[in-house]
Amino acid sequence: MSLTLDSTFYENVESALQTRLLTVAGIPPAEHLVLENQSPAYVPQAGTPWLRWTFRPQPNRLANINADAQLVRHIGAVMIDYYVPRGEGTRRANTVSAAIVTALRPGTRLIYNGLLVLVRTCFAQGGQNIDQHYQRPITLGWTADTIST
């Protein structure tokens, strides 16, 4: 048995999740969505909310232990950090993070280019002040399955 992933597998997973995120009311516009290894590098602006997206695939595993198992489960996490201007309180951070968690709640099924992505977990954590912003982290867990040959 071997596992050969389509070269767009992780791109499709990430796109499915980002597409849903971008429908959430109140999030900053797409130009303030900071992706990993983005060029040119994003420079946060005082007074401007922004989002940082960090995509973290984890090791895959067989979905069952039968001798002829072919279903491979891929799991991963996305860390979404929502930043609002420091000193304005937590209301906007609470409202937007709750909207993100609602839009990507556990059990949400997303299909992108024929790939089904299932949201396993999504929760907001306590915030903290960082430089001129207040950061509210949101963690999202996902799964997607492929067939090995």
Side-chain angles (χ1 to χ4, degrees), residues 14-63:
E14 201 167 6
S15 293
L17 296 167
Q18 282 180 10
T19 298
R20 175 59 66 93
L21 174 68
L22 292 173
T23 67
V24 175
I27 67 165
E31 64 266 17
H32 295 290
L33 173 60
V34 180
L35 305 175
E36 295 173 87
N37 201 27
Q38 178 175 314
S39 180
Y42 182 81
V43 177
Q45 302 164 9
T48 302
W50 58 285
L51 287 168
R52 180 174 58 197
W53 174 277
T54 307
F55 184 74
R56 294 286 185 253
Q58 304 297 314
N60 57 45
R61 60 195 64 157
L62 291 174

Side-chain angles (χ1 to χ4, degrees), residues 11-140:
E11 195 175 289
N12 287 335
V13 170
E14 201 167 6
S15 293
L17 296 167
Q18 282 180 10
T19 298
R20 175 59 66 93
L21 174 68
L22 292 173
T23 67
V24 175
I27 67 165
E31 64 266 17
H32 295 290
L33 173 60
V34 180
L35 305 175
E36 295 173 87
N37 201 27
Q38 178 175 314
S39 180
Y42 182 81
V43 177
Q45 302 164 9
T48 302
W50 58 285
L51 287 168
R52 180 174 58 197
W53 174 277
T54 307
F55 184 74
R56 294 286 185 253
Q58 304 297 314
N60 57 45
R61 60 195 64 157
L62 291 174
N64 58 43
I65 57 171
N66 297 338
D68 61 349
Q70 294 184 346
L71 187 64
V72 178
R73 175 133 311 139
H74 304 269
I75 64 172
V78 175
M79 280 68 81
I80 304 167
D81 295 309
Y82 178 56
Y83 294 86
V84 296
R86 187 175 187 165
E88 74 169 31
T90 60
R91 178 174 287 187
R92 182 174 12 180
N94 292 341
T95 300
V96 172
S97 62
I100 292 170
V101 168
T102 299
L104 291 161
R105 66 186 162 277
T108 299
R109 296 173 182 272
L110 306 168
I111 297 176
Y112 193 90
N113 285 341
L115 177 68
L116 173 64
V117 179
L118 176 66
V119 176
R120 295 181 314 123
T121 60
C122 190
F123 57 93
Q125 300 167 20
Q128 63 183 337
N129 288 317
I130 298 177
D131 296 326
Q132 72 267 25
H133 288 89
Y134 175 79
Q135 174 209 30
R136 174 59 54 89
I138 300 153
T139 302
L140 180 151

